Amino acid sequence: MVSAGNRVESTPAGTVVLDAGGCLVAPGLVDLHTHLREPGREETETVETGSRSAALGGYTAVVAMPNTDPAIDSAATVRQVLDLGRDALCDVAVAGAITIGRAGTRLAPLAEMAALGVKLFTDDGSGVQDARLMRRALEYASSLGVTLAQHCEDSSLAAGGHMHEGEWSSRLGIPGQPAEAEELMVMRDLALCRLTGTPVHFLHLSTAGSIAMLRGAKASGLPVTAEATPHHLSLTDECVAGYDTVYKVNPPLRTEADVAAVRAGLADGTIDAIATDHAPHSQESKEAPFDQAPPGMIGLETALAVALTELDLPVERVVALLSWQPAAIAGLSEHGLSITAGAPANLCIIDPEIEWTVDPSRMASRSRNSPFAGRTLRGRVRHTVLAGEPVVVNGQAQR
Amino acid sequence: MRSATSLRQSSAPNVAGPGHTPLRHLLSVSDLGADGIEEILRVTDTFVEVSGRAIPKVPALRGKTVVSLFFEDSTRTRLSFETAARRLSADVMTFSVSGSSVGKGESLRDTVETIEAMGIDGVVVRHGGSGVPWQVAGWLHQAAVINGGDGSHEHPTQALLDCYTITRTLSARAGARPTGLAADPTGRGRSLDGVRIGIVGDIRHSRVARSDVLAFTALGAQVVLVAPPTLLPPSLVGWPVQVSHDIEAVLPTLDVVYLLRLQQERMHEALLPSLREYTATYGLTRDRARLLSEDALIMHPGPVNRGVEIAAEVADQASSVITRQVANGVAVRMAVLYLLLGSGVDLAA
């Protein structure tokens, strides 16, 4: 960044000028929770397609989740994904697995991965079930300056559940997983955080009970952070009534009261970040019976608009939840910075008032499983600038 | 006892009948509403008469093709539908998973689109996954879908044949011929008004129970669910039912007791300690059957686990209408097929 302000006196010849009339110039967005699917599931997403999707959504950095095939549980796989991200349309950071193969039995080489710059570790897709192993992971990680992130789900209580357990699952005859399956692990990990002192980040919190516990934990000074997804702040389990598998996701869509709690948590700072949990799946795999379809939704190209449309918060607060707060959790020091001369130009230029209709067939993601298809949303990214390069101009990816 | 007031009704109920939008599919009992159910029961009367003829066959669906698409073993339901279709002179194709390319990894959608490409008019879908008939209906362009039972969700034709069995048995006993009371457009005088029905057993996993609750209450019945807490749905919000865990207290109050089949595998999910304990606490034993009023009906969707949910001699006693349910099943399914696929065809032809 050469200079910042409302007036630029002179530009060198050959400078690209982006029209930001009516727009908000914000630091680039940062996604703490992206499934880029590479290696192993390239038919649904790759680092290239996922990062293009991210750039179109205003992101200048994403954290790639390790539930790939093979899992990102070694220095070699970390290097592979970082290499793939080298010339991507956004910066690609990597979260490493806590356990080998995400199998929940043996610690993965956390120090070796941390040495390559990995700041977040998680077995996301499932939670670490064994309390003793999780305690050891937190203790071991305490010397590494990293954060462990948990997908909170007690697998024995959630077993066989394909949606939120409650009024709708009972009517629809779909086995559910109760809110308590998430809350039990939140409760346990708050206890383990207290025991070990290692920072814990809570992924995609979805229940009122989880958020209430987080609020108490923060008040008592525990080093905890939390994220919520665009779909958990906007959609309920009633969406499943037509058996459309696009609404199958884990954690599942919950009740109105849970949605209200997520929004309240975002408003009062209990929840630090909005993270997409962008989870691409092929159309064929989603065209299965509800109880056989894989859980997950894409979200990179709609997250900002869903947040601006659905949340009754000032735009600066929405950008905080999408940019500098997640950047701080991910330890991404070049992102989410205030816009001043000398800072790296990772920017997103947002038209906050434009209305548009979500059309998954026009997305850059390789998958189409958006729960917001057909919805009219307000606010959209006009340009995205990555380290000074305009990678998205007027809503078009430049490469 | 818990109770609640309203089950979700489909926002625009498709009612098969004159002056209404014709029903395109039969997926849920809630697609019908009370009027739609009564209409089907009236048409069923006609087909009961047809079934009693020397040659129980009419040409109503001649030239139409009905496919039974069964992803789950169910010889009874499949034969009932296929018999109904044949008695209407439809051509019948059977698609069962074992003899198909589904075993070779063909997707559900490909299977459905392939079958429709053969030029079919109706498809009866049975699947172990809740909601599959909705998905199938979304992929088909022309053919009508009839839900032949989906997972733990619904089994609408079973509920219709149950309603038919109860209403016609009660009205025959009262000495009146079936009058189709609900033809009364004011909605007064629904045909199960004042009838108290107990549904006993594994409600949680039962598609029959979900459809029956919708249908019985739409026709005005009071429904009480009797089951151990582990075999009830996790939430009964919006179910217009009462709940009891004391079968002996409920039996004397009932006009109809409806037993559900108990699947053996429930024991493996820690839902029950043993079949023996279930029978001891919730089974309709000979002694408990004496608590029923003399003219209370005993019903079961079949197949019966004799000695588990119902004692063998109780299943066979005079007040048991279990075999009548099966017989009525064919006529009800004829009515459903006729209304979906043959509207406008003159039955006298």
Side-chain angles (χ1 to χ4, degrees):
Chain A
M1 206 114 48
V2 179
S3 71
N6 287 327
R7 299 187 62 82
V8 177
E9 298 305 332
S10 65
T11 54
T15 301
V16 179
V17 178
L18 302 175
D19 174 13
C23 291
L24 188 84
V25 179
L29 310 185
V30 173
D31 191 25
L32 284 170
H33 200 141
T34 308
H35 296 278
L36 291 175
R37 300 296 191 219
E38 200 172 1
R41 298 266 301 285
E42 290 83 355
E43 77 283 6
T44 61
E45 199 76 287
T46 62
V47 172
E48 185 193 340
T49 60
S51 67
R52 186 172 298 123
S53 184
L56 286 164
Y59 290 93
T60 52
V62 300
V63 180
M65 288 287 116
N67 63 335
T68 47
D69 187 13
I72 305 177
D73 61 0
S74 67
T77 322
V78 170
R79 271 197 207 95
Q80 182 190 354
V81 177
L82 290 176
D83 280 348
L84 287 164
R86 205 78 67 199
D87 50 0
L89 266 70
C90 68
D91 283 350
V92 175
V94 170
I98 295 172
T99 67
I100 298 282
R102 297 173 47 253
T105 50
R106 290 166 54 211
L107 271 188
L110 305 186
E112 205 171 282
M113 291 189 273
L116 294 172
V118 175
K119 297 282 203 313
L120 273 180
F121 291 91
T122 178
D123 276 2
D124 180 58
S126 48
V128 176
Q129 300 297 316
D130 186 313
R132 183 167 164 272
L133 179 66
M134 190 63 197
R135 178 206 177 162
R136 296 293 181 232
L138 286 163
E139 283 177 344
Y140 186 76
S142 64
S143 67
L144 302 174
V146 300
T147 298
L148 300 202
Q150 189 74 286
H151 168 126
C152 288
E153 179 184 325
D154 180 293
S155 64
S156 65
L157 195 55
H162 300 285
M163 67 178 292
H164 173 66
E165 180 180 290
E167 184 181 341
W168 283 100
S169 71
S170 296
R171 284 185 203 182
L172 295 169
I174 296 175
Q177 42 176 287
E180 287 75 7
E182 173 175 311
E183 291 160 3
L184 274 181
M185 195 169 280
V186 171
M187 195 183 301
R188 184 202 74 179
D189 284 359
L190 289 175
L192 294 178
C193 177
R194 192 173 297 118
L195 182 66
T196 61
T198 305
V200 177
H201 176 67
F202 290 87
L203 300 168
H204 46 47
L205 289 186
S206 67
T207 82
S210 297
I211 291 157
M213 282 188 276
L214 248 287
R215 189 172 287 124
K218 285 194 161 183
S220 72
L222 285 181
V224 290
T225 51
E227 68 184 38
T229 68
H231 45 275
H232 288 115
L233 67 83
S234 58
L235 305 174
T236 68
D237 56 345
E238 187 177 351
C239 292
V240 178
Y243 295 99
D244 188 338
T245 57
V246 81
Y247 298 110
K248 182 172 178 180
V249 65
N250 214 7
L253 300 178
R254 306 280 187 185
T255 67
E256 294 273 5
D258 296 308
V259 169
V262 169
R263 292 174 183 228
L266 290 163
D268 74 5
T270 301
I271 301 172
D272 305 273
I274 295 170
T276 64
D277 195 4
H278 178 85
H281 288 289
S282 70
Q283 190 156 332
E284 301 81 70
S285 69
K286 280 284 192 181
E287 280 172 353
F290 199 89
D291 58 353
Q292 291 170 31
M297 313 172 154
I298 58 172
L300 287 168
E301 292 172 66
T302 48
L304 172 71
V306 169
L308 287 172
T309 308
E310 295 282 334
L311 293 177
D312 191 19
L313 293 177
V315 67
E316 300 78 14
R317 289 279 303 131
V318 171
V319 172
L321 289 161
L322 284 158
S323 178
W324 55 87
Q325 291 179 187
I329 293 166
L332 293 169
S333 56
E334 312 229 306
H335 295 268
L337 299 173
S338 56
I339 298 169
T340 49
N346 291 313
L347 301 171
C348 126
I349 290 89
I350 302 164
D351 183 341
E353 297 303 329
I354 191 171
E355 296 207 335
W356 59 290
T357 301
V358 179
D359 178 0
S361 71
R362 300 171 64 91
M363 289 182 179
S365 170
R366 193 163 272 187
S367 293
R368 299 283 172 263
N369 53 309
S370 168
F372 301 106
R375 292 212 182 201
T376 298
L377 300 176
R378 183 168 46 77
R380 197 168 194 179
V381 172
R382 189 182 290 182
H383 317 295
T384 306
V385 178
L386 176 67
E389 177 195 353
V391 288
V392 171
V393 176
N394 292 320
Q396 302 295 318
Q398 299 300 293
R399 57 183 172 94
Chain B
M1 287 205 182
R2 290 179 270 175
S3 73
T5 45
S6 76
L7 260 190
R8 178 178 61 114
Q9 292 293 320
S10 151
S11 53
N14 285 316
V15 179
H20 297 280
T21 314
L23 194 63
R24 160 104 198 266
H25 305 294
L26 177 58
L27 301 177
S28 164
V29 167
S30 59
D31 295 340
L32 297 168
D35 292 349
I37 296 170
E38 301 279 10
E39 166 78 2
I40 290 171
L41 301 189
R42 274 193 301 277
V43 175
T44 301
D45 284 330
T46 311
F47 290 116
V48 167
E49 185 271 313
V50 167
S51 298
R53 292 180 193 169
I55 299 172
K57 196 156 179 163
V58 290
L61 297 186
R62 185 183 286 160
K64 303 275 188 181
T65 301
V66 175
V67 179
S68 52
L69 182 55
F70 275 54
F71 294 93
E72 190 181 70
D73 286 340
S74 169
T75 311
R76 302 161 148 256
T77 304
R78 184 173 59 76
L79 285 180
S80 181
F81 269 111
E82 291 179 356
T83 304
R86 290 198 176 95
R87 286 186 180 172
L88 294 167
S89 305
D91 294 317
V92 175
M93 294 198 291
T94 303
F95 182 101
S96 60
V97 172
S98 51
S100 76
S101 50
V102 167
K104 300 171 196 160
E106 183 180 71
S107 80
L108 186 59
R109 181 173 188 160
D110 285 343
T111 302
V112 166
E113 289 183 342
T114 302
I115 289 171
E116 185 169 50
M118 294 172 188
I120 59 160
D121 302 285
V123 52
V124 181
V125 179
R126 171 72 157 248
H127 199 289
S130 297
V132 168
W134 275 255
Q135 295 174 296
V136 171
W139 296 324
L140 290 175
H141 302 99
Q142 309 255 297
V145 177
I146 298 169
N147 184 352
D150 66 314
S152 303
H153 183 222
E154 279 220 48
H155 193 353
T157 58
Q158 177 73 43
L160 291 167
L161 74 89
D162 290 336
C163 288
Y164 188 82
T165 304
I166 298 169
T167 57
R168 274 32 177 188
T169 305
L170 294 183
S171 58
R173 185 184 289 160
R177 54 178 290 283
T179 52
L181 291 171
D184 177 351
T186 62
R188 284 179 289 113
R190 292 172 296 175
S191 46
L192 291 177
D193 273 340
V195 176
R196 188 165 158 84
I197 303 175
I199 303 178
V200 184
D202 186 0
I203 317 286
R204 184 187 187 106
H205 300 94
S206 176
R207 51 189 166 220
V208 173
R210 282 177 179 76
S211 287
D212 272 346
V213 166
L214 287 165
F216 293 164
T217 56
L219 297 189
Q222 283 180 8
V223 174
V224 53
L225 305 179
V226 185
T230 47
L231 296 184
L232 287 170
S235 164
L236 286 169
V237 171
W239 294 48
V241 296
Q242 296 173 328
V243 173
S244 170
H245 309 300
D246 183 353
I247 188 171
E248 293 183 5
V250 170
L251 286 173
T253 70
L254 297 179
D255 300 299
V256 177
V257 59
Y258 198 108
L259 289 315
L260 297 171
R261 178 179 169 79
L262 188 73
Q263 307 276 353
Q264 304 275 350
E265 60 263 29
R266 302 303 170 220
M267 261 38 73
H268 306 307
E269 301 160 27
L271 292 164
L272 288 174
S274 66
L275 282 183
R276 188 175 150 275
E277 179 155 311
Y278 178 79
T279 307
T281 47
Y282 289 91
L284 189 63
T285 58
R286 202 167 50 173
D287 286 345
R288 289 208 181 103
R290 292 200 196 97
L291 298 171
L292 285 164
S293 72
E294 216 164 284
D295 49 5
L297 304 181
I298 298 171
M299 301 179 72
H300 192 295
V304 176
N305 282 319
R306 286 169 184 262
V308 180
E309 64 266 5
I310 185 168
E313 56 268 49
V314 176
D316 296 334
Q317 74 186 44
S319 57
S320 161
V321 292
I322 297 170
T323 50
R324 207 176 309 165
Q325 288 173 270
V326 178
N328 289 337
V330 174
V332 161
R333 290 175 176 123
M334 288 173 80
V336 167
L337 287 166
Y338 171 73
L339 289 168
L340 285 176
L341 306 180
S343 14
V345 180
D346 184 0
L347 278 183

